[in-house]
Amino acid sequence: MAHTRLWGGIEAGGTKINCAIATASTTSSRSSRSPSGPALPQILAETRIATTTPAETIAQIVHFFQVYQQRVGPLETIGLASFGPVDLHLSSPTYGYVLDTPKPGWRHIDLLGGLGRSLQLPIVLDTDVNAAALGEHRWGAAQGLDTFLYLTVGTGIGGGAMVNGKLLHGLLHPEMGHILLRQDVSQDPFPGGCPFHGNCLEGLASGSAIAARWGKPADQLPPEHPAWALEAEYLAQAIATFTFTLSPERIILGGGIMHQQHLFPLVHRLARAKLETYLAVPQVLEQIDRYIVPPLLGDQAGILGAIALAQEGSGG
Amino acid sequence: MAHTRLWGGIEAGGTKINCAIATASTTSSRSSRSPSGPALPQILAETRIATTTPAETIAQIVHFFQVYQQRVGPLETIGLASFGPVDLHLSSPTYGYVLDTPKPGWRHIDLLGGLGRSLQLPIVLDTDVNAAALGEHRWGAAQGLDTFLYLTVGTGIGGGAMVNGKLLHGLLHPEMGHILLRQDVSQDPFPGGCPFHGNCLEGLASGSAIAARWGKPADQLPPEHPAWALEAEYLAQAIATFTFTLSPERIILGGGIMHQQHLFPLVHRLARAKLETYLAVPQVLEQIDRYIVPPLLGDQAGILGAIALAQEGSGG
C-alpha cells in the first residue's frame, strides 16, 4: 500500500471542539458539493469534545490524535481553527494564546503550546472563520476567487476574509461581528445583547440576540415571523459596510441562523437596494444571488477549513 | 552622465489633476519627513491642470509629458492615481474607464486608454487613495507595515488599503466613504450630504458636509467650535468599523480636513473608547496616537503615490 498522507483538524469553539483526521480523497470523482474543483478530503475519523476547562479539554484533544496515530500512523500537520480572540503573530511571546475571551477559564491560555508540547507535531493556527474561508476557497463557494468574505451567523457573528489570495490577519484579526449598525428603536426596541457594544451587529443579529428578543430560539420562529425581515435588514446593513470596506468578490453567509433558507431572498433584496445606487456592477445589479451565497461545505466548513490549514502547513 | 531613470505621475481628481516627473533621489541623505526609510524621489517638473472635459483634460496631460520627454528623455512608466469609481480589472473590456461618476461628462470615459494611445507608455492605474497608501508605505507613515488603511477626509472621503503587502481591489475597489454611521439627530439634525446615501460617512463627515451643516468651510471654524467634536465622533465610529473589518496595523488620516491638527487628539480619545473594550492590544490601549496618524507625506501623498505606482510598474 502506498504511503497515505494524513492530516489533523481541530475546530475549537466555545462550547464544543470538533477533531478530525483526513486524507486526500482516494476517488477521482467529484463530490456533488464541489462539482468544479478538487475533491474534498476524506474524513477517516472524527470526534466531538465539550469545551470544559483548558487542561481537561486539551488532554481530550491530545488523546484523540495520539490513539489514532498509534493505530494508523503519524499525521503530517494539524490545523487548529480557534475561537477568538487569539494571538496569531508568530513573533509574539503569546503566539497561540487565547486572549481576552469572556469564556471562563480560557483567558490567556496557551492553547497552541499546550497541544504542541503533547503532540509534537507542527500545528497551523488561524481563526475559526479564516479557516472556514480557506475551506470554502479550496473546495466550496469561493473557488477561483482571491478576495472574498466568509461570515458566520450563529450563536455569535464572526467574519474571515481572503484578500489577494491570502487570509487577512493584520493587527490582531478581524472582529467583524462588532461593527455598529443602525437600529430604528421605534421598530426594534431590543437593547442589543453584546456585553461590549450592546447593539453592534452581533448584539442585534446573532442567534443569541434573536432568542433574547423574541423569547424563543430562531429555529422555532416560522418563516413569516417578523424576526426574519428584521434579521435581513441588519445583515444587509452589514453586507453594505463590508462591501464598501473590503470590496469582496463574494460574501458567503454560513452558521446556524443561515440554515433558514428563506432568509437568503430577503437578504438579497435588501442588500441589493443598499448597494445598487453606488456599486453599479453586474454582480450587484444582476447576480446578487451569486454575490451573497450559502457555504457549499455547509456545517463542515469549519472542520474542513482546519484540514485545509493543516494541508497548507505541509504543502499538501 | 549616467542614465537617469524617469517616471511620471498623474494624480487625477475631480477638480484638478496634478502631473509630475520624478527621478530617484540623487542624495544619500534622508528626507526629514522620511527619517528611517528610503529617500523620497526627486520631483523634476510638475504641473496642475483643471479637470474640465475629458478631451481637453487628457490633451493637456499628454502635452505636459510630451514636452518634457522631448526636452529631457523618455519616461519608463507613468502611474495614474485616479478618482473613482474606476475599472481596475485588467481582464475587463472597460479596464481603465471611469465608471458611474457623478462628475459631468466623465461617465464611462476611457481615461487610461486616452492617455495611453497618445503617450505610448506603459501606465499603471490604481485609485487615488490606493496610490496614496502605496506612497505612505514606501516613504511615509506605513513603512514596514503590510496591512494598513489610508483614509482621506477632504471634499469627499475615500479609503485605500494594503493587506498582506498588496493593495486591496477586490470586486471593484473599496468605497470606504459610504459606510453607514450612527447619527444622533437630536444632536445633529443635518440630513447628510451624500446624493446616494444621505448620512453615510461622507455624507456626515466630509468637508462638503461640514460646510453645508455649519454654513462655512471647515478652515473657518475655530478649534473650539462644536463642529470638531462631532467630526471626531463620526471619524471614530468609522475607525472602529474599519478596525473590526480590516484589522489594520495603522490608520493614516489624510486630506484637507485633517489639516486641523487639533482634530487628532479628539479622534484618538473617542476611537480608543470605542475600541478598548474589545480590542485589548497595546496599539489601542497605550499607543493610539501611533495607531491613528497623519500622513508623513502630507499633501504630497497623492502625487508621490502616483510616482510609486509608476516605479512598481517598472520594477523601480
Side-chain angles (χ1 to χ4, degrees), chain A residues 22-139:
Chain A
T23 186
S25 178
T26 52
T27 65
S28 60
S29 67
R30 304 297 187 197
S31 155
S32 63
R33 285 182 145 167
S34 178
S36 59
L40 288 171
Q42 189 183 350
I43 304 284
L44 303 174
E46 45 188 334
T47 192
R48 175 176 294 196
I49 293 163
T51 311
T52 57
T53 65
E56 187 177 67
T57 310
I58 289 172
Q60 286 189 273
I61 298 171
V62 167
H63 179 74
F64 169 75
F65 287 109
Q66 280 179 339
V67 167
Y68 191 89
Q69 290 191 106
Q70 281 160 14
R71 226 177 58 218
V72 179
L75 305 180
E76 297 194 24
T77 44
I78 291 179
L80 171 57
S82 178
F83 65 106
V86 60
D87 187 341
L88 300 176
H89 282 278
L90 273 167
S91 61
S92 164
T94 55
Y95 173 64
Y97 280 57
V98 177
L99 299 173
D100 292 322
T101 175
K103 178 147 183 76
W106 282 84
R107 196 164 175 268
H108 295 196
I109 290 297
D110 183 9
L111 176 60
L112 183 70
L115 291 167
R117 277 188 294 277
S118 298
L119 287 168
Q120 296 291 315
L121 281 171
I123 303 182
V124 182
L125 170 69
D126 214 316
T127 60
D128 46 6
V129 276
N130 262 356
L134 186 64
E136 289 290 331
H137 186 251
R138 286 210 162 193
W139 304 298

Side-chain angles (χ1 to χ4, degrees), chain A residues 169 171 181-182 199 244 247, chain B residues 169 171 175 181-182 199 247:
Chain A
H169 301 116
L171 179 63
L181 300 185
R182 285 189 182 176
N199 57 358
F244 288 138
S247 191
Chain B
H169 300 117
L171 180 64
E175 286 287 357
L181 301 185
R182 284 188 184 177
N199 58 358
S247 192

Side-chain angles (χ1 to χ4, degrees), chain A residues 22-289:
Chain A
T23 186
S25 178
T26 52
T27 65
S28 60
S29 67
R30 304 297 187 197
S31 155
S32 63
R33 285 182 145 167
S34 178
S36 59
L40 288 171
Q42 189 183 350
I43 304 284
L44 303 174
E46 45 188 334
T47 192
R48 175 176 294 196
I49 293 163
T51 311
T52 57
T53 65
E56 187 177 67
T57 310
I58 289 172
Q60 286 189 273
I61 298 171
V62 167
H63 179 74
F64 169 75
F65 287 109
Q66 280 179 339
V67 167
Y68 191 89
Q69 290 191 106
Q70 281 160 14
R71 226 177 58 218
V72 179
L75 305 180
E76 297 194 24
T77 44
I78 291 179
L80 171 57
S82 178
F83 65 106
V86 60
D87 187 341
L88 300 176
H89 282 278
L90 273 167
S91 61
S92 164
T94 55
Y95 173 64
Y97 280 57
V98 177
L99 299 173
D100 292 322
T101 175
K103 178 147 183 76
W106 282 84
R107 196 164 175 268
H108 295 196
I109 290 297
D110 183 9
L111 176 60
L112 183 70
L115 291 167
R117 277 188 294 277
S118 298
L119 287 168
Q120 296 291 315
L121 281 171
I123 303 182
V124 182
L125 170 69
D126 214 316
T127 60
D128 46 6
V129 276
N130 262 356
L134 186 64
E136 289 290 331
H137 186 251
R138 286 210 162 193
W139 304 298
Q143 291 174 62
L145 305 181
D146 69 8
T147 299
F148 69 94
L149 171 62
Y150 175 92
L151 201 70
T152 181
V153 187
T155 311
I157 295 182
M162 184 175 275
V163 175
N164 291 321
K166 293 170 89 173
L167 294 169
L168 170 60
H169 301 116
L171 179 63
L172 173 68
H173 48 70
E175 286 285 358
M176 298 193 201
H178 296 279
I179 66 165
L180 294 182
L181 300 185
R182 285 189 182 176
Q183 181 181 15
D184 179 350
V185 292
S186 72
Q187 300 294 315
D188 174 28
F190 178 62
C194 174
F196 301 105
H197 311 105
N199 57 358
C200 63
L201 171 58
E202 180 169 295
L204 289 175
S206 65
S208 309
I210 295 173
R213 181 188 289 111
W214 301 105
K216 56 175 77 171
D219 58 8
Q220 292 178 25
L221 300 170
E224 65 276 11
H225 193 282
W228 299 113
L230 189 66
E231 179 72 8
E233 165 63 22
Y234 291 143
L235 294 178
Q237 283 188 22
I239 284 166
T241 285
F242 294 140
T243 297
F244 288 138
T245 306
L246 269 170
S247 191
E249 297 164 290
R250 183 164 291 159
I251 296 176
I252 303 171
L253 293 183
I257 297 301
M258 302 313 299
H259 288 180
Q260 310 288 328
Q261 292 288 326
H262 58 86
L263 196 46
F264 276 93
L266 293 175
V267 171
H268 288 151
R269 186 163 49 77
L270 292 172
R272 187 183 188 283
K274 289 179 201 301
L275 290 170
E276 67 187 353
T277 51
Y278 204 67
L279 197 73
V281 295
Q283 288 87 342
V284 167
L285 298 181
E286 296 151 27
Q287 304 182 317
I288 193 79
D289 57 338

